[in-house]
Amino acid sequence: MTLDIFNRKEVQDLLTAATNQEGGEGSPRFKQIAHRLLSDLFKAIDDLDITPDEVWSGVNYLNKLGRDGEAALLAAGMGLEKYLDMRMDEEDKRAGLEGGTPRTIEGPLYVAGAPLREGVSRIDIDPDEGAGPLVIRGVVTDTQGKPLANAVVECWHANSNGFYSHFDPTGAQTDFNLRGAVKTGPHGEYEFRTLMPVGYGCPPQGATQQLLDALGRHGNRPAHVHFFVSADQHRKLTTQFNIEGDPLIWDDFAYATREGLIPPVVEKTGGEKLGLKADSYKEIEFNFALTTLVQGKDNQIVNRLRASAQA
Ligand code: MBD
Ligand code: FE
């Protein structure tokens, strides 16, 4: 039964009042967005005849989401973060800005403050029996292939349990385990010596997984490594690559997988000379191409709340 009251004057007046459309105080932009989102919610309640019980279960869900600290995780899982990428891609396409390494979502698990090293950094600090050694290396260039010296590559990834340091529920990792930052050498080269990550899964008792369960979806990601790459006169790149062969590569609950972000994994020997924990190791070569500033600025820099710690 659709009551169809949404267009009545009392309802529209209520939306106008609740978002203070006629008052001079508050932020005009915030009021515009609040009015639109609240209107869309009211309309959905009317159109779908959403019951009071359903509304209150949604309200209480928001309390759980906040208690669990999972709002940004849910944003990734519901494709909201991917959608923002799609919009930035479209903006670039219309501006004729192509040729850089594809962007993909940041996710909620970055921690600022990792130690910055020259050229190469070993970032596996804590022992992890379940993980074999991995070298990630490559160059940072511009879209013409010109190497960028003194670029900064930041990297973060999960351990063999799929947990990230700083957010590990087992408490097993120190703050910057599997997180690092490297300044590129004269030919744009960088290298991380680390361990092979395993895919992430949402906390099973958390608000995000609860919602995914109601949708009949899983909350898992394929194994992946995150990067921020920045250099003078270039736009900061936010990306990831996936570990080739992971069965979830095209079934990522956060929709971050893209063509161009699945580099080959190569078997190597000589790890002992590099100080790795075994002589045979895996290597992934991954090069980054950065786009230039737009009219002197990074027009797509994303400001969001990020964790930070002291190394
Ligand atoms: C992750 O590791 C991640 O990258 C995203 C996007 C969401 C949850 C966990
Ligand atoms: Fe991740």
Side-chain angles (χ1 to χ4, degrees):
M1 172 196 45
T2 298
L3 297 174
D4 212 11
I5 68 166
F6 179 74
N7 289 309
R8 285 191 193 164
K9 183 167 186 303
E10 310 91 270
V11 174
Q12 294 305 310
D13 286 350
L14 177 60
L15 287 163
T16 300
T19 57
N20 197 20
Q21 296 298 297
E22 282 163 3
E25 303 293 292
S27 150
R29 175 64 172 164
F30 184 74
K31 286 158 71 173
Q32 175 189 39
I33 294 169
H35 183 265
R36 173 59 185 270
L37 293 181
L38 193 64
S39 298
D40 287 355
L41 176 62
F42 280 25
K43 184 149 180 24
I45 291 172
D46 213 20
D47 287 349
L48 304 180
D49 208 14
I50 300 175
T51 66
D53 294 14
E54 289 169 333
V55 169
W56 293 119
S57 95
V59 167
N60 289 319
Y61 177 79
L62 292 179
N63 277 333
K64 176 170 168 61
L65 185 64
R67 270 197 310 276
D68 294 349
E70 289 191 2
L73 180 61
L74 183 66
M78 292 314 290
L80 180 60
E81 200 172 356
K82 170 68 179 179
Y83 185 57
L84 298 177
D85 275 357
M86 292 164 95
R87 287 182 45 82
M88 287 191 280
D89 284 354
E90 182 64 19
E91 193 182 15
D92 283 355
K93 195 170 152 211
R94 292 189 195 188
L97 266 167
E98 273 156 315
T101 300
R103 65 163 54 82
T104 197
I105 67 169
E106 173 180 334
L109 303 176
Y110 172 76
V111 179
L116 177 63
R117 306 217 163 90
E118 300 284 333
V120 42
S121 184
R122 174 146 185 193
I123 62 172
D124 59 309
I125 298 157
D126 303 326
D128 185 347
E129 283 302 310
L134 169 67
V135 170
I136 300 168
R137 43 165 288 275
V139 292
V140 180
T141 67
D142 66 12
T143 53
Q144 309 306 305
K146 184 174 130 305
L148 297 174
N150 299 315
V152 174
V153 182
E154 291 179 84
C155 152
W156 68 103
H157 66 80
N159 68 5
S160 72
N161 293 317
F163 295 137
Y164 284 75
S165 61
H166 197 82
F167 303 98
D168 186 334
T170 70
Q173 303 181 62
T174 52
D175 254 345
F176 285 102
N177 192 42
L178 311 180
R179 299 177 183 276
V182 155
K183 191 181 272 194
T184 58
H187 310 290
E189 69 277 19
Y190 79 92
E191 179 172 327
F192 291 103
R193 296 181 188 162
T194 187
L195 299 174
M196 188 57 93
V198 161
Y200 170 93
C202 289
Q205 305 309 318
T208 302
Q209 190 57 56
Q210 181 186 323
L211 186 146
L212 294 170
D213 286 347
L215 294 171
R217 288 181 49 196
H218 71 72
N220 301 315
R221 300 207 59 210
H224 61 278
V225 178
H226 297 262
F227 299 95
F228 284 153
V229 188
S230 43
D232 277 355
Q233 299 304 313
H234 293 78
R235 300 191 305 172
K236 175 180 170 180
L237 170 69
T238 301
T239 196
Q240 309 175 23
F241 62 60
N242 286 119
I243 305 300
E244 184 188 52
D246 191 304
L248 288 180
I249 278 200
W250 294 106
D251 189 16
D252 175 7
F253 100 105
Y255 309 104
T257 306
R258 300 187 71 161
E259 297 293 351
L261 300 178
I262 314 169
V265 178
V266 178
E267 299 282 347
K268 303 274 262 192
T269 54
E272 256 141 42
K273 266 186 276 160
L274 298 176
L276 307 181
K277 76 174 187 182
D279 197 60
S280 63
Y281 67 99
K282 294 187 163 48
E283 182 179 270
I284 294 176
E285 182 180 353
F286 196 72
N287 301 324
F288 300 100
L290 301 187
T291 51
T292 51
L293 297 178
V294 176
Q295 281 149 9
K297 63 182 248 235
D298 189 336
N299 62 328
Q300 294 181 336
I301 197 84
V302 174
N303 294 299
R304 58 185 280 181
L305 191 61
R306 295 183 173 96
S308 67
Q310 225 84 72

